[in-house]
Amino acid sequence: MSLMQKLKNIPFVWICVLSLGIALGGYFIGNGVYKSMARRTVTVKGLAERDVVADTAIWNVKFNSVGTDLAEVQNSIDTDIRKTRAFLIENGFKDEEIQNLRVQVRDKYAGYSMEERNNQGNKDRYVIETGVMVRSNNVQLVDNVSRKMGDLVRQGITITEDYTGPIYVFNGLNEIKIQMIEAATKNATSAGEQFAKDANAKLGKIQSANQGVFSITARDPIDAWSDNEKQSINKRVRVVSTITFYLK
């Protein structure tokens, strides 16, 4: 019996079901292959770096004075403030760039009984700590003058032990963010294209992307252990973008 005769003996409804099954089977096989190809991805990282210069300097010059008479200690502090402000103005700062810091008074015998105080003899009792703050956009001037602290010491001003020097701040991050993200994306795309080429594939569309976190470090770190970004005028901005591409 020929194939045509056999087919004639099969009910029409079964022929329809068989045809539909073949069609659906082909669809699912093709769709499965497509999805399998779509799952082929590559994740790469793109780096962008830029050297920048701080645009603001904040410089706290702190000093103290000690003594047995509180009024005399305060007079000494007032003299130190006048000398310090005069020193800063003579070296090029404007008066509006300088402001006095808060005054802190410490009684070393606070909580002592009268007898305990008498046993201390004529030792210095009061400590007044204060200083001046310089806030300026002339970061180079701040850097230069901060290296002349010996001039204040020679005038009898006692610089406190917690003096760490100026802090330098870069405020222009928002102005360079977009360009740096674009550069990081191009860098990641180049890496993805190279990977696709090595894998005998082509780079497809982006599946997902993470721009990463911007970081600011010292351009010229002093050593591998200290974080001296705040004390550095020259800084380096860095961002790493992570992008996942489809492969086709």
Side-chain angles (χ1 to χ4, degrees):
M1 184 181 293
S2 66
L3 177 62
M4 293 300 296
Q5 290 174 332
K6 292 180 179 180
L7 291 174
K8 288 180 180 179
N9 294 329
I10 300 174
F12 178 74
V13 64
W14 287 107
I15 294 176
C16 293
V17 171
L18 180 62
S19 300
L20 180 61
I22 294 172
L24 288 174
Y27 167 78
F28 285 120
I29 291 173
N31 193 49
V33 171
Y34 170 77
K35 288 184 177 179
S36 176
M37 291 295 291
R39 283 195 295 268
R40 293 179 60 198
T41 60
V42 58
T43 300
V44 291
K45 294 183 181 294
L47 170 66
E49 291 183 324
R50 180 176 294 192
D51 290 342
V52 298
V53 178
D55 49 48
T56 303
I58 302 170
W59 180 24
N60 289 333
V61 182
K62 297 181 180 180
F63 41 81
N64 62 27
S65 182
V66 298
T68 56
D69 183 275
L70 186 58
E72 291 181 359
V73 177
Q74 182 60 58
N75 289 336
S76 175
I77 280 291
D78 291 340
T79 300
D80 289 347
I81 291 175
R82 286 194 296 271
K83 289 180 179 179
T84 303
R85 294 183 71 98
F87 165 79
L88 293 171
I89 292 174
E90 288 172 3
N91 279 275
F93 292 105
K94 301 175 183 177
D95 188 64
E96 58 267 25
E97 294 177 315
I98 309 167
Q99 68 180 68
N100 296 349
L101 295 175
R102 294 178 179 176
V103 175
Q104 294 181 329
V105 181
R106 180 161 54 93
D107 182 354
K108 294 194 291 185
Y109 301 161
Y112 283 31
S113 66
M114 184 62 69
E115 181 180 357
E116 289 172 328
R117 291 179 184 176
N118 293 333
N119 291 337
Q120 298 301 317
N122 198 31
K123 294 180 181 179
D124 292 332
R125 173 179 176 180
Y126 298 104
V127 180
I128 296 182
E129 297 179 345
T130 186
V132 299
M133 181 184 76
V134 177
R135 184 181 180 90
S136 174
N137 298 124
N138 192 339
V139 295
Q140 195 57 58
L141 178 62
V142 172
D143 184 59
N144 293 339
V145 178
S146 68
R147 301 176 190 277
K148 300 180 180 179
M149 295 302 294
D151 293 351
L152 287 177
V153 175
R154 279 188 284 272
Q155 295 185 50
I157 298 176
T158 305
I159 307 299
T160 58
E161 294 179 358
D162 65 346
Y163 175 76
T164 58
I167 292 175
Y168 301 102
V169 181
F170 174 66
N171 296 299
L173 183 58
N174 286 335
E175 298 175 6
I176 63 175
K177 268 187 175 180
I178 295 178
Q179 297 94 323
M180 291 193 66
I181 292 173
E182 289 177 353
T185 302
K186 289 180 180 178
N187 185 259
T189 302
S190 298
E193 289 173 343
Q194 183 60 49
F195 180 91
K197 180 180 178 181
D198 295 340
N200 294 320
K202 291 184 178 180
L203 201 65
K205 295 182 178 180
I206 293 177
Q207 182 196 56
S208 62
N210 184 343
Q211 78 170 35
V213 178
F214 281 84
S215 63
I216 302 179
T217 59
R219 188 195 67 182
D220 307 306
I222 297 174
D223 52 49
W225 301 276
S226 65
D227 179 12
N228 63 326
E229 178 266 321
K230 294 184 182 299
Q231 280 76 46
S232 176
I233 293 178
N234 297 298
K235 305 176 186 291
R236 179 160 294 166
V237 182
R238 187 175 189 266
V239 64
V240 177
S241 294
T242 303
I243 304 177
T244 299
F245 293 94
Y246 288 111
L247 292 177
K248 56 184 180 178

